[in-house]
Amino acid sequence: GAVVSQHPSWVICKSGTSVKIECRSLDFQATTMFWYRQFPKQSLMLMATSNEGSKATYEQGVEKDKFLINHASLTLSTLTVTSAHPEDSSFYICSARAPNPGLSDSPLHFGNGTRLTVT
Amino acid sequence: KQEVTQIPAALSVPEGENLVLNCSFTDSAIYNLQWFRQDPGKGLTSLLLIQSSQREQTSGRLNASLDKSSGRSTLYIAASQPGDSATYLCAVKCGNNRLAFGKGNQVVVIP
């Protein structure tokens, strides 16, 4: 089945540094990938939609200069948390929709997430 | 704005019992509804996808129903096993092509 790989699975960084998270679709091409953020016992909140070859679409309240998204190829999207602060500590998850001809819609497949801790 | 609620937030059942997890949504204008499983510290695994025109989907011991007009979906897990312990999330795809998630049903199956 469709596999989405996310790396790293966890990262600890100091305040003020930047962290890059990678999201890869391993066995399919994804023109669109999604980045979510999840706090403990809370819903996933969509941060932005990553579009291959064009600018990402950010949700209201998400700072595009802080959360830089690059979707350079059909199998890779990256999220960079710039000048990280402790309040950015969270669980970040990416997802992609595998194309499935014949279906009006296809399931969304998720990476295993990245636990970011900013000290 | 679409709001998704999952009840109960947490439950524990003895092994072998059937599980019933509820999801409700406020806006019935959805494209589909998807149930996911999330293990602690992990991403989401898709379990079942129900299109808006469908009433239910089945996969093995899992069955999900959808009543779009009343804004409800139910996930049934038959003959629960300790390996079913996880958080189950439902999400609806809305007209703006976004997914709205519930907070999840945290399930513990006691051996």
Side-chain angles (χ1 to χ4, degrees):
Chain A
V3 176
V4 175
S5 173
Q6 195 170 335
H7 178 81
S9 55
W10 60 271
V11 58
I12 301 173
C13 70
K14 292 185 177 181
S15 285
T17 61
S18 295
V19 174
K20 180 185 283 188
I21 303 169
E22 292 186 348
C23 180
R24 294 181 185 272
S25 56
L26 295 187
D27 51 359
F28 65 97
Q29 294 182 332
T31 55
T32 303
M33 291 185 177
F34 306 90
W35 287 95
Y36 293 85
R37 183 173 180 174
Q38 185 182 32
F39 291 105
K41 298 190 185 301
Q42 298 297 313
S43 309
L44 274 73
M45 299 300 297
L46 180 65
M47 299 175 64
T49 301
S50 170
N51 304 299
E52 188 268 335
S54 63
K55 291 183 180 180
T57 304
Y58 290 82
E59 294 301 299
Q60 192 173 10
V62 177
E63 300 174 57
K64 61 181 180 181
D65 293 331
K66 180 164 186 63
F67 298 100
L68 299 179
I69 291 174
N70 183 277
H71 196 148
S73 77
L74 287 171
T75 59
L76 173 64
S77 174
T78 60
L79 168 68
T80 302
V81 183
T82 63
S83 187
H85 291 284
E87 57 265 32
D88 297 326
S89 299
S90 187
F91 193 58
Y92 294 86
I93 311 177
C94 72
S95 70
R97 196 179 303 278
N100 199 332
L103 278 184
S104 58
D105 208 348
S106 54
L108 208 54
H109 297 277
F110 285 77
N112 271 334
T114 298
R115 170 73 58 194
L116 170 64
T117 301
V118 184
T119 60
Chain B
K1 179 187 172 187
Q2 178 75 268
E3 291 186 5
V4 181
T5 304
Q6 291 186 244
I7 295 173
L11 72 160
S12 296
V13 298
E15 181 177 0
E17 272 198 13
N18 297 331
L19 280 163
V20 180
L21 308 178
N22 296 300
C23 172
S24 61
F25 45 96
T26 54
D27 186 351
S28 62
I30 64 169
Y31 284 108
N32 61 50
L33 183 145
Q34 197 167 352
W35 280 94
F36 296 90
R37 169 185 172 137
Q38 185 176 31
D39 292 292
K42 299 292 186 183
L44 278 64
T45 300
S46 177
L47 297 175
L48 291 167
L49 170 70
I50 312 176
Q51 304 292 351
S52 62
S53 58
Q54 297 174 323
R55 300 282 292 185
E56 67 175 350
Q57 281 285 335
T58 299
S59 176
R61 293 184 295 111
L62 276 60
N63 174 277
S65 65
L66 173 64
D67 185 341
K68 201 173 78 161
S69 60
S70 66
R72 285 186 290 190
S73 175
T74 302
L75 178 66
Y76 300 89
I77 303 177
S80 61
Q81 302 169 359
D84 295 329
S85 299
T87 297
Y88 293 84
L89 296 162
C90 82
V92 295
K93 185 177 180 183
C94 310
N96 56 8
N97 209 30
R98 286 159 173 73
L99 286 187
F101 283 85
K103 292 183 181 179
N105 305 107
Q106 187 176 0
V107 172
V108 174
V109 179
I110 304 165

